[in-house]
Amino acid sequence: MSTTTTKKSTTCNGEIEEELKNALSFKQFDVVSDDSDHHYLHSHNNNNNNKKDGRDCIIAPSSQAHKKIVQEWRILEKNLPDSILVRVYENRVDLLRAVIVGAAGTPYHDGLYFFDFSFPPDYPTRPPHVYYRSHGLRLNPNMYANGRVCLSLLNTWTGKKSEKWNPNESTVLQILVSIQALVLNEKPYFNEPGHSMLGRAIWEKKSQAYNEDVFLLSCKTMLFWLRRPPRNFEVFVGNHFRDRADSILRACIAYMDGFVRVGYYENNNDNDGSSSSSSVEVSDRFKASMEKLYSELLIAFQRCGASVGNFVERLKVEKRTTPSRAPQVAVKKKKKKQPGIAKKVIWKLKKVLGVGKGKAA
């Protein structure tokens, strides 16, 4: 290994160690100063018609709205569940950002879902505006690719009077918990109006197909956040995926091999694909897409400092022990044999790590 490579490796390890130290002190709720990438800062929906750039807070410190928002801060600081984190801004009391960690037992497990809030000047008469940072992906009937969140509590969806925003009782914490429990649930397909026939075989099959799509999109979202995490959450994102990489990759394998239904992987169970026979039907489309995403996740997790060596070794073993499929290839002579997942991932890892012809390991 060259001196240059050694220096780069040392620097990288030092950065990761520093991030780990910072992660230990990362608070669930905190007041920060950098609001530069907040959606509503420059949005036309910022409720500030007099300020074209939207940089000035429109809520006066002496206003009722300001007092109510500060009360919301105290509620969040004391009552946030472990799976929700919030950042508010010292110079923009009208803005807030939250992240929800996808719950186990759902196709959103281990994913990170970020939401930007903007409080109107007459808050709490009206609920806050909420924007989902979607990357153009729609992974829930209530969360659109354009960032719109449909929820009765936000008055963006029809519902019973008791479900709508109540200025005297409703809170930001209630909004966040509702999104986590009612929107990012185990069977989001049934969130769509008309898809309410739970238990019927045809609808359950459609629900399972929808969960496959959701998990694929969730994995794509993970890659987006690893490449460019939101401001003030960089440390949290890196630490989250270093901790969860093993579980996520094992879930990918279990889902691809059909050992557990998509969304139902549990890290404490031995359902990582070590069994000898499949028990769940998985679409070919899902398998093909998952293979590609799996290799991308493996590389991304390794870059952020996650321990994934066992998965790399597993792929090497699979490459050596996978039985030949010569008879099938012989039948379709014109079809070019595609490299398996093991070969593709190992090739990508070599490229990232600079290992190959003419280069020292």
Side-chain angles (χ1 to χ4, degrees):
M1 183 178 290
S2 65
T3 305
T4 303
T5 303
T6 303
K7 288 181 179 179
K8 287 183 178 179
S9 178
T10 303
T11 302
C12 183
N13 290 336
E15 290 176 352
I16 292 173
E17 288 178 4
E18 184 64 27
E19 284 189 17
L20 290 173
K21 289 179 182 178
N22 293 334
L24 294 175
S25 60
F26 196 86
K27 300 177 181 178
Q28 275 192 273
F29 177 91
D30 204 1
V31 182
V32 296
S33 59
D34 188 355
D35 56 16
S36 58
D37 69 334
H38 197 282
H39 172 74
Y40 289 105
L41 187 66
H42 302 286
S43 171
H44 294 298
N45 297 322
N46 193 44
N47 303 315
N48 184 0
N49 296 325
N50 298 321
K51 302 290 183 181
K52 291 184 179 180
D53 63 0
R55 288 204 60 84
D56 294 334
C57 182
I58 58 175
I59 297 179
S62 59
S63 67
Q64 185 63 34
H66 190 285
K67 294 176 183 177
K68 176 61 177 175
I69 292 171
V70 172
Q71 288 177 6
E72 295 273 16
W73 288 9
R74 296 189 184 114
I75 293 172
L76 291 168
E77 187 172 18
K78 294 179 180 179
N79 300 284
L80 279 173
D82 293 340
S83 52
I84 300 177
L85 295 90
V86 169
R87 291 295 178 268
V88 296
Y89 305 93
E90 58 185 3
N91 296 320
R92 290 300 302 263
V93 71
D94 58 324
L95 303 180
L96 176 149
R97 173 170 291 166
V99 60
I100 296 176
V101 180
T106 75
Y108 304 99
H109 68 79
D110 298 310
L112 297 179
Y113 308 95
F114 284 88
F115 300 85
D116 284 357
F117 285 62
S118 173
F119 296 94
D122 59 350
Y123 186 78
T125 302
R126 290 181 293 153
H129 296 272
V130 179
Y131 173 82
Y132 167 58
R133 302 182 72 88
S134 69
H135 297 287
L137 306 175
R138 189 179 182 187
L139 41 63
N140 190 283
N142 299 78
M143 291 157 50
Y144 288 73
N146 64 4
R148 178 180 171 83
V149 179
C150 284
L151 192 68
S152 298
L153 190 56
L154 295 173
N155 292 345
T156 52
W157 184 249
T158 56
K160 299 177 182 178
K161 186 176 181 180
S162 60
E163 297 172 344
K164 289 184 171 294
W165 179 262
N166 183 333
N168 298 317
E169 298 178 1
S170 302
T171 65
V172 172
L173 178 62
Q174 187 180 354
I175 293 172
L176 292 170
V177 172
S178 295
I179 292 174
Q180 183 181 52
L182 303 179
V183 176
L184 302 174
N185 58 46
E186 62 178 3
K187 295 183 179 181
Y189 176 78
F190 294 105
N191 290 9
E192 187 74 40
H195 298 171
S196 58
M197 302 178 71
L198 282 164
R200 293 286 294 273
I202 185 171
W203 291 103
E204 290 293 338
K205 189 172 183 179
K206 289 178 180 290
S207 174
Q208 180 57 25
Y210 190 85
N211 276 10
E212 290 182 357
D213 291 339
V214 166
F215 186 72
L216 291 171
L217 294 176
S218 182
C219 288
K220 289 183 179 180
T221 303
M222 294 178 194
L223 292 170
F224 282 126
W225 291 137
L226 280 164
R227 292 167 189 155
R228 190 174 182 180
R231 297 283 169 80
N232 307 301
F233 285 90
E234 296 90 343
V235 171
F236 170 73
V237 170
N239 189 61
H240 172 83
F241 287 117
R242 276 190 290 274
D243 286 347
R244 305 289 183 94
D246 184 90
S247 177
I248 294 168
L249 293 173
R250 287 181 183 277
C252 291
I253 294 171
Y255 296 155
M256 278 191 291
D257 293 344
F259 293 105
V260 70
R261 282 201 302 164
V262 173
Y264 292 88
Y265 176 82
E266 294 183 13
N267 194 35
N268 58 347
N269 289 347
D270 185 19
N271 52 14
D272 60 353
S274 58
S275 180
S276 59
S277 62
S278 298
S279 57
V280 178
E281 183 180 350
V282 183
S283 68
D284 292 336
R285 178 182 57 82
F286 174 79
K287 288 181 181 179
S289 298
M290 194 70 262
E291 273 192 12
K292 182 177 183 298
L293 282 170
Y294 176 85
S295 63
E296 292 178 11
L297 285 169
L298 181 55
I299 293 170
F301 290 154
Q302 188 167 51
R303 281 175 173 166
C304 81
S307 178
V308 295
N310 53 330
F311 292 98
V312 176
E313 290 303 316
R314 175 180 178 142
L315 287 171
K316 291 179 180 178
V317 172
E318 287 179 354
K319 182 181 178 183
R320 292 195 300 267
T321 60
T322 300
S324 173
R325 296 183 180 181
Q328 287 86 343
V329 177
V331 174
K332 298 180 180 180
K333 294 181 180 179
K334 294 182 180 180
K335 185 174 181 181
K336 186 178 179 180
K337 187 175 180 182
Q338 298 296 322
I341 181 174
K343 188 174 182 179
K344 287 188 286 187
V345 175
I346 292 172
W347 180 83
K348 286 187 177 182
L349 286 172
K350 285 183 177 180
K351 186 175 180 181
V352 171
L353 300 175
V355 179
K357 293 181 179 180
K359 294 183 179 182

